[in-house]
Amino acid sequence: MDDVKIGEILLPGDKDEQERQETRIKKRFWPVLKRAMRQVPFSRDLVAAYYCALDSRTPAKVRGILLAALAYFVLPLDGIPDFFVLVGFSDDIAVLTAAFAAIRGHIREDHYISADKALEDEPEMQPAG
């Protein structure tokens, strides 16, 4: 996946677009994460990013970048279909890694605490091994 495409995916969008993405993410994030848990090496960071994106204290541009990356993660149509074992989430991982690099420092400790609690409360959400 080239930088131009990732850059296009991570555009923060306007307020209306962010609201549409937030609605999609709230609906699909947890079911997709449950399917991806064994393939996504940074599930704790991913869940913390989810909480950061939904936090009204997060700056609009950061929120937009995270919402765009999370929307790409939860959408069924992307570069490589997620049902392909081992490679299905590789494009999602590339987009999420780029998003995390772009917003470095904005995912706060309270987002990680919320992520830990969510992962702890859902035993099936725990990564294997």
Side-chain angles (χ1 to χ4, degrees), residues 65-85:
I65 290 169
L66 286 174
L67 287 170
L70 292 169
Y72 188 81
F73 174 70
V74 303
L75 288 176
L77 301 173
D78 58 20
I80 302 171
D82 296 335
F83 57 82
F84 288 125
V85 178

Side-chain angles (χ1 to χ4, degrees), residues 30 42-52 55 57 66 100-101 103-120:
W30 297 108
F42 46 82
S43 55
R44 180 178 185 248
D45 294 313
L46 182 57
V47 176
Y50 171 83
Y51 285 112
C52 183
D55 187 340
R57 298 171 294 173
L66 286 174
F100 292 162
I103 59 92
R104 188 179 341 230
H106 287 280
I107 300 177
R108 297 187 319 270
E109 185 60 28
D110 59 308
H111 299 135
Y112 280 105
I113 291 169
S114 295
D116 291 340
K117 182 169 178 8
L119 291 169
E120 184 179 293

